[in-house]
Amino acid sequence: MEFTYEGRRYPVIVERKRVKNINLHVRTDGSIYVSAAPHVPERVILDFLEKNAARIAPASDRVRQKRQKTVLTDGAEVPWLGKPLTIRYSPKPCKTVREGDVLTVFARTPEEAEYAFIQWRNAECVALFRELNKETYEAFRAAGYQVPYARIEIKDMSSRWGSCTAKTGRISMNIRLMQYPLGCIKGVFFHEYTHFLHQDHSAAFYAVLRRLYPAYDRYDALLKG
Ligand SMILES: [Zn+2]
């Protein structure tokens, strides 16, 4: 199904299930999702969408714009550890190398630049997360907490920064964190490690977290923004 708003068409995913009302929301990929009971006619759903279009269409646009990837042309900027990093093409074969806020890649096209950037980003991420894992583990042990040395899995996730499976001693970390300041990434490490002690977000959880990482709230606000 789709509906039109100000001349633009928006695809809609309709799920039929036992719900009382027609429910409507914009998903993280910008698609519009509707749930309605099996007996509700399509015409009624469309009316409902049209009534809510002024709210729902701009929300969908915003999400989709945000998701649109930066095209890595020569001189393009990408966010890197909280600061802009400028991509520079090297016409001659070279290793991807960062000097200050410039990243030099061997590329002639945005596709080649993206390939080089992703290779470099992944390696940087593995090295940084390994270091922060050790640092966080040691901070907990030094404070007297019995936590395991976590096995880190790096994932590309759209809806969470990290997760902790206390039973298996595993922590998943989102690679997209590499765009944010180091303090934010540390905050997620401390957050997930605290879950080894408390599997909830109780007052006890935050007491440990804020004691071991006093800057937590400041950096967490940045990630939420
Ligand atoms: Zn949590």
Side-chain angles (χ1 to χ4, degrees):
M1 185 188 274
E2 62 176 35
F3 79 103
T4 310
Y5 177 70
E6 291 188 338
R8 279 212 274 171
R9 297 198 307 206
Y10 293 84
V12 178
I13 301 156
V14 182
E15 192 187 358
R16 298 291 189 168
K17 55 185 189 185
R18 282 167 196 238
V19 283
K20 238 189 183 165
N21 305 307
I22 302 173
N23 304 295
L24 184 57
H25 74 263
V26 176
R27 286 190 159 167
T28 51
D29 63 357
S31 63
I32 293 165
Y33 173 88
V34 177
S35 58
H39 65 264
V40 177
E42 273 203 5
R43 186 62 247 162
V44 174
I45 296 176
L46 271 175
D47 283 349
F48 183 76
L49 280 165
E50 270 155 28
K51 234 181 270 168
N52 287 281
R55 174 173 68 85
I56 218 81
S60 168
D61 290 344
R62 264 198 309 276
V63 175
R64 273 187 293 189
Q65 268 165 21
K66 240 185 168 175
R67 277 175 64 91
Q68 247 175 30
K69 279 199 292 181
T70 319
V71 179
L72 297 191
T73 49
D74 190 14
E77 283 183 351
V78 290
W80 185 254
L81 297 175
K83 290 192 196 122
L85 181 65
T86 304
I87 305 291
R88 281 270 170 258
Y89 288 11
S90 160
K92 284 192 203 134
C94 69
K95 260 180 76 178
T96 303
V97 60
R98 179 187 165 195
E99 279 165 314
D101 54 6
V102 175
L103 187 77
T104 305
V105 295
F106 169 49
R108 286 149 300 185
T109 64
E111 290 72 33
E112 287 177 355
E114 174 152 357
Y115 181 79
F117 173 73
I118 285 174
Q119 299 280 68
W120 175 81
R121 178 201 63 175
N122 292 354
E124 291 285 307
C125 181
V126 167
L128 179 65
F129 284 10
R130 187 176 290 157
E131 195 182 301
L132 292 180
N133 186 33
K134 183 167 178 281
E135 215 175 88
T136 313
Y137 168 77
E138 283 168 357
F140 274 78
R141 298 297 281 213
Y145 293 111
Q146 296 297 309
V147 293
Y149 196 99
R151 288 229 320 270
I152 303 297
E153 273 178 24
I154 299 171
K155 291 184 181 170
D156 190 349
M157 299 182 273
S158 61
S159 60
R160 62 210 306 200
W161 293 120
S163 68
C164 173
T165 315
K167 240 193 279 173
T168 56
R170 204 175 314 188
I171 286 175
S172 296
M173 293 289 293
N174 196 338
I175 196 163
R176 298 183 194 188
L177 282 166
M178 295 303 283
Q179 298 173 18
Y180 291 86
L182 188 60
C184 293
I185 309 176
K186 284 187 183 181
V188 178
F189 266 97
F190 275 88
H191 180 118
E192 300 311 333
Y193 257 87
T194 307
H195 278 313
F196 285 136
L197 307 167
H198 299 282
Q199 272 91 65
D200 50 21
H201 294 120
S202 58
F205 168 88
Y206 281 109
V208 173
L209 178 52
R210 290 181 180 128
R211 191 160 83 79
L212 292 188
Y213 193 63
Y216 181 75
D217 291 290
R218 186 155 52 90
Y219 285 116
D220 186 49
L222 267 180
L223 284 178
K224 282 186 176 129

